[in-house]
Every structure is written in C-alpha cells, then in structure tokens.
C-alpha cells in the first residue's frame, strides 16, 4: 500500500534510517529539516517559525513523522521551549490545517527518567516523571498531541523511543547509562518496522507507546505497543554488566534513597 509521508528532522539519525526504509516500500516522501546538508531532496525549513513555504508541504500528506527538534537530554529550557514545544505546536497545526490523517510524534524515554531508581514495569498509563527540560518538552508534545486528536480529530501516535545510536547501532556496555540504557536499546530494523506499522495501523485515535526492542528482563512495557499497532520486534539484547556499571547502579540506588529521605523531610515540615 503506497503512502505519502512527510518526515520532519529528515536529515537526523532517525530520519535518515526511516527515509531509506520508506523509500524501499515505494512510498512518496516529503522531507523537511532545518539544515538540508546539501541534499536536494530535503527542503530546508525552520519549523519553529510559521511559514507558508513549508506549511504547504503538508497538503495531500497521509502521515507526518515528526522527529524535528533538539534531541539532546542536556538541552536548555530556552532551546526546549523553541525547538521542542513551539516547533511541535506548529507541526501539529500544519497537519490539522491540511487534513493529515495521522501524526507520529517522536517522544522519549526521558518522560519517565525519574522512575529509573524504582522497581516495577514502566507502562505508558502510569504517572510521567521527567527530570530535565528535554523530558518535560517531550511530555508537553504528547499532551499537545492528545489535544490535537480531541479537538481536530487527527490521529496521533506518540512513541517514547528508547536508546537508538547512530549508524550500525549495536547494543552493549559502550552505550552508557548502565543497565538502564542498555535495557532501552532499539535496533534499526525494529525502529523501522514500528514506524511502518504506525503509518499503516487502523483504528488508533490517540496512543502513547513505548518503543524498545524485545530486550530480556527490561522494565519497559511493549506489549501495549504490540497490541495497538501490530509491532513485532525481531531483536533484543540483555544488558552486559561490568564493574563500572555495578558502581553506577549502586550510585543510582543511593541517590534514590537520598531523594526519598528529602521528600520525607519536606512532607514533615509542611503546614
């Protein structure tokens, strides 16, 4: 089944991988990025600034894959506001204005980062817990997507994407963030298969879904993702624990205990 898909942030890590995959399916692609990097197929556009030149590219589009924004967890509040919140609002509005059927929003595991030290399965219906401007901006993007569906009847799928490295993207302790990072690994082909399913899936109004490979022992729930869009991950890797990782895990546990104790003290001092 052919589709017309618009990708924002098309020159980035995920955009480059999806472009190759969707092209192999014979889909028609429209590509936007703040920097085209000399690629004639990509239209350079600052999506944080409303402009009819790029907004017109949304006409006749079936699905928008919205990847554009500042991808760094270390982004400042100023950057997160402009590039992740204001920019996303513009993309949602352009999609609604041109009758786009579905928007797939690249949210992030950072929406749940505060749950790292605690036990239990991480589902998308539990309370979010962002700990930095980046995570907050992604949560805002999800909620704007919910509003877009409720008010403008646009289907919106928000993927809380795991750990996807550039290039070959092999799993292992080199990834950083200890076992927490490794357990969120998302392979290139699982990424592409999930995004393909997000374009094709029927009867999805609004959904927030975890997107990781099928990593043994991970806390992230992907059963909901499988049921909702027919995601069928083919890859998975168990975390490799080194001495340095064990030390990092102990430090995370100590930090959790300190935060819990601080919260107890604050609760005791409230009027």
């Amino acid at each position: 089944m052919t589709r017309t898909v618009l990708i924002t942030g098309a020159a980035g890590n995920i955009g480059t991988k999806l472009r190759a995959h969707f092209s192999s399916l014979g889909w028609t692609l429209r590509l936007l990025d703040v920097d085209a990097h000399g690629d004639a197929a990509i239209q350079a556009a600052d999506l944080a600034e409303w402009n009819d030149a790029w907004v017109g590219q949304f006409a006749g589009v079936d699905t928008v894959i919205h990847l554009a924004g500042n991808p760094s967890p270390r982004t400042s509040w100023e950057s997160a506001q402009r590039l992740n919140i204001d920019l996303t609002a513009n993309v949602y509005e352009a999609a609604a204005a041109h009758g786009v059927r579905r928007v797939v929003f690249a949210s992030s595991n950072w929406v749940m980062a505060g749950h790292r030290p605690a036990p239990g399965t991480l589902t998308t219906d539990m309370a979010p817990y962002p700990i930095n401007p980046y995570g907050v901006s992604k949560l805002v993007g999800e909620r704007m997507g919910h509003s877009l569906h409720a008010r403008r009847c646009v289907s919106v799928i928000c993927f809380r994407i795991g750990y996807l490295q550039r290039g070959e993207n092999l799993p292992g302790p080199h990834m950083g963030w200890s076992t927490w990072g490794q357990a969120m690994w998302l392979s290139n082909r699982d990424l592409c298969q999930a995004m393909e399913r997000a374009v094709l899936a029927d009867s999805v109004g609004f959904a927030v879904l975890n997107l990781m490979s099928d990593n043994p022992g991970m806390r992230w729930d992907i059963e909901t993702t499988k049921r909702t869009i027919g995601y069928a991950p083919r890859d998975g890797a168990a975390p490799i624990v080194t001495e340095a990782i064990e030390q990092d895990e102990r430090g995370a546990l100590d930090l959790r205990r300190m935060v819990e104790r601080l919260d107890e003290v604050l609760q005791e001092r409230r009027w």
Side-chain angles (χ1 to χ4, degrees):
M1 180 182 296
T2 185
R3 298 281 180 169
T4 298
V5 177
L6 184 150
I7 303 176
T8 73
N13 176 27
I14 296 177
T16 299
K17 292 171 181 176
L18 293 183
R19 177 182 177 185
H21 178 69
F22 292 160
S23 294
S24 72
L25 300 176
W27 291 359
T28 300
L29 301 181
R30 298 185 189 174
L31 309 173
L32 301 178
D33 200 288
V34 68
D35 187 346
H37 297 282
D39 190 331
I42 300 176
Q43 177 177 328
D46 180 359
L47 305 182
E49 298 293 333
W50 186 271
N51 188 304
D52 290 341
W54 65 259
V55 172
Q57 291 296 309
F58 285 65
V61 167
D62 173 78
T63 302
V64 171
I65 308 290
H66 177 37
L67 309 172
N70 187 330
S72 173
R74 298 179 177 84
T75 185
S76 66
W77 280 110
E78 180 181 18
S79 179
Q81 173 182 275
R82 184 178 191 276
L83 298 180
N84 292 359
I85 298 176
D86 295 350
L87 186 154
T88 296
N90 282 345
V91 169
Y92 281 153
E93 180 60 29
H98 284 288
V100 171
R101 177 183 67 96
R102 174 168 294 156
V103 177
V104 181
F105 171 59
S107 187
S108 171
N109 62 83
W110 282 91
V111 172
M112 302 294 283
H115 290 293
R116 174 182 174 182
T121 302
L122 297 171
T123 65
T124 56
D125 59 359
M126 65 191 297
Y129 197 163
I131 60 173
N132 54 21
Y134 177 74
V136 171
S137 70
K138 289 299 184 178
L139 176 59
V140 171
E142 292 179 3
R143 301 318 298 166
M144 286 194 293
H146 181 270
S147 179
L148 181 71
H149 172 63
R151 294 185 302 106
R152 310 292 288 275
C153 297
V154 178
S155 172
V156 179
I157 295 175
C158 303
F159 278 132
R160 289 180 179 170
I161 299 173
Y163 198 152
L164 183 82
Q165 305 158 100
R166 293 184 178 275
E168 194 174 6
N169 182 31
L170 296 177
H174 64 277
M175 296 170 62
W177 301 344
S178 67
T179 57
W180 172 258
Q182 292 184 62
M184 291 189 293
W185 179 62
L186 174 63
S187 73
N188 291 343
R189 65 176 176 177
D190 284 346
L191 162 77
C192 292
Q193 193 260 138
M195 288 290 185
E196 178 183 339
R197 289 304 311 155
V199 173
L200 297 176
D202 295 324
S203 304
V204 181
F206 174 78
V208 178
L209 305 171
N210 291 327
L211 183 52
M212 293 80 188
S213 287
D214 196 6
N215 305 309
M218 72 175 175
R219 294 171 55 200
W220 300 90
D221 164 51
I222 59 172
E223 293 304 314
T224 303
T225 312
K226 294 176 182 178
R227 290 194 305 270
T228 304
I229 63 170
Y231 176 48
R234 299 174 62 187
D235 298 312
I240 297 173
V241 181
T242 65
E243 182 178 348
I245 287 175
E246 287 181 341
Q247 292 177 352
D248 183 64
E249 294 290 346
R250 286 194 294 270
L253 180 59
D254 290 342
L255 179 61
R256 173 192 170 192
R257 290 169 176 164
M258 181 177 66
V259 171
E260 289 175 345
R261 178 54 187 154
L262 178 60
D263 184 61
E264 291 174 358
V265 171
L266 293 175
Q267 291 288 345
E268 291 170 357
R269 294 184 178 182
R270 287 181 180 175
W271 293 97

